[in-house]
Amino acid sequence: MDKVKLYFGKVRDFFKWFTNTTFAKVTGFIIKWLYRTINFVIRQALLILIIYSAVFSVAASYALYRAFIYGYEIYEGVEELKDTQPEMSKYMEALRDSSPNLQIKHTYVPLDSISPYLRKAVIASEDAGFYFHPGFDVRAIAEALDANQVAGKTKFGGSTITQQLAKNLFLSGERSFNRKFKELAYALLMEHELGKDRILELYLNYAQWGKDIFGCQEACRTYYKKSCAKLSVDQAINLAAMLASPGKHHPNMRESQFMAKRRAVIYQNMFPKKDSVLVDSLRQLMAPLPKDSTKRVP
């Protein structure tokens, strides 16, 4: 027992001696400094994480709120189109604002008051796969990109009738990713909420057919002095041909190469060769037309 006490006494004396040495003091200072440094770093890291979490939570909440408002505005705009139609499209309003003296001509008519010739001609002209895509046409977009690459500039677009309607009704003419995203969102929602026939009805009633002419009814009254329900095949194809450039062309322009090419494409899509019946995007165009459909385009 005495040996054990003696041993621990020597150990205690050694530590007393060691703690008073310069090495022990320097080592102790370094350890304290490291502890305080590590403690400070850990506290600061925790503080930064807490602040980051708070900021992220606020930012995420705001982003969710903005996404809800963003989505709700799109949904509300589309939902209203089920039973009502706006007095003017966004494009018409922008045109009026840029030209205050311009008197816009526009009359709305239901789809069953629009000639089936015009319906088919417009689909053949603007979106042959209209009844088969979900609002956007990947193949048309790819073809437009290839054509633009060959042309060396943005000359062709791959927008569907639904996308064109979304742009005309709700969006500005600016070219940006945000506008393109909105256009797609509107198009997909319109396809889901409205259906193809309602979309086509709206498109035909808000499409531009002249500098101040909007809607097929006003176009027919202006160019042919008749209701759009009484169009012939030729007249329907002529009107559909000018949709690509309504501000520069007239449906009865016979010397225009642009109009001639457009009429030829539309006619070919409306009355394709027998082997074209196998193409899904053209099947809708093969539905029987009224008896006077044998009339040909000059």
Side-chain angles (χ1 to χ4, degrees):
M1 190 68 178
D2 292 335
K3 290 182 178 181
V4 173
K5 289 182 178 180
L6 180 63
Y7 173 76
F8 280 107
K10 289 181 179 179
V11 170
R12 184 177 63 251
D13 293 340
F14 172 78
F15 274 105
K16 285 183 180 179
W17 170 82
F18 180 77
T19 54
N20 291 321
T21 62
T22 302
F23 176 78
K25 291 179 180 180
V26 172
T27 302
F29 174 78
I30 293 174
I31 292 173
K32 287 181 180 179
W33 181 84
L34 287 173
Y35 170 78
R36 289 174 181 175
T37 302
I38 294 171
N39 184 56
F40 174 79
V41 170
I42 292 174
R43 286 175 179 273
Q44 293 301 312
L46 289 174
L47 180 61
I48 291 172
L49 285 174
I50 292 171
I51 294 173
Y52 174 79
S53 299
V55 172
F56 179 80
S57 297
V58 172
S61 299
Y62 179 75
L64 288 173
Y65 169 75
R66 291 302 304 170
F68 172 78
I69 297 299
Y70 185 87
Y72 183 75
E73 286 177 354
I74 294 177
Y75 177 79
E76 188 178 37
V78 172
E79 188 71 13
E80 290 178 356
L81 293 176
K82 285 184 175 180
D83 305 310
T84 60
Q85 37 276 338
E87 182 179 349
M88 300 183 76
S89 65
K90 194 79 172 179
Y91 179 76
M92 292 161 68
E93 291 175 355
L95 185 64
R96 182 190 58 186
D97 292 341
S98 63
S99 304
N101 296 325
L102 185 68
Q103 296 296 320
I104 292 178
K105 301 174 185 177
H106 177 238
T107 303
Y108 196 97
V109 290
L111 188 63
D112 57 11
S113 295
I114 300 174
S115 165
Y117 298 137
L118 184 60
R119 287 182 248 165
K120 291 178 181 291
V122 168
I123 291 173
S125 170
E126 300 299 304
D127 185 4
F130 174 67
Y131 279 99
F132 302 94
H133 60 62
F136 64 95
D137 191 335
V138 175
R139 183 177 61 181
I141 294 172
E143 289 175 352
L145 290 174
D146 289 341
N148 290 331
Q149 188 173 11
V150 172
K153 59 181 179 180
T154 304
K155 186 177 180 181
F156 303 96
S159 296
T160 62
I161 282 177
T162 313
Q163 287 175 285
Q164 292 179 49
L165 178 63
K167 181 175 65 175
N168 290 338
L169 283 182
F170 300 109
L171 305 172
S172 65
E174 67 170 341
R175 292 188 176 185
S176 66
F177 177 79
N178 182 55
R179 188 197 67 76
K180 216 45 188 169
F181 177 79
K182 277 188 173 182
E183 178 185 301
L184 181 59
Y186 271 115
L188 292 174
L189 193 56
M190 284 194 295
E191 290 278 344
H192 182 267
E193 296 294 324
L194 304 181
K196 294 291 187 180
D197 287 346
R198 177 61 172 163
I199 290 171
L200 182 60
E201 177 182 303
L202 289 166
Y203 180 83
L204 292 170
N205 276 284
Y206 288 97
Q208 186 179 18
W209 260 291
K211 187 177 181 181
D212 58 352
I213 301 169
F214 288 83
C216 55
Q217 181 73 335
E218 283 297 334
C220 292
R221 287 175 177 174
T222 300
Y223 300 121
Y224 298 117
K225 311 301 180 185
K226 63 170 66 174
S227 166
C228 62
K230 299 179 180 180
L231 284 182
S232 67
V233 176
D234 290 355
Q235 292 167 342
I237 291 177
N238 289 338
L239 284 175
M242 68 175 292
L243 279 174
S245 183
K248 298 180 180 179
H249 295 88
H250 188 282
N252 296 323
M253 294 173 69
R254 294 298 175 180
E255 297 179 358
S256 168
Q257 292 186 357
F258 173 85
M259 289 292 287
K261 290 179 181 178
R262 294 287 296 175
R263 281 194 296 267
V265 170
I266 295 168
Y267 187 85
Q268 184 178 4
N269 283 347
M270 288 182 72
F271 306 101
K273 296 178 180 179
K274 291 182 180 179
D275 56 353
S276 296
V277 178
L278 300 177
V279 182
D280 286 344
S281 63
L282 295 177
R283 286 180 181 170
Q284 180 67 23
L285 301 178
M286 291 299 293
L289 288 168
K291 293 182 179 180
D292 64 338
S293 63
T294 55
K295 188 176 181 181
R296 294 295 186 258
V297 179

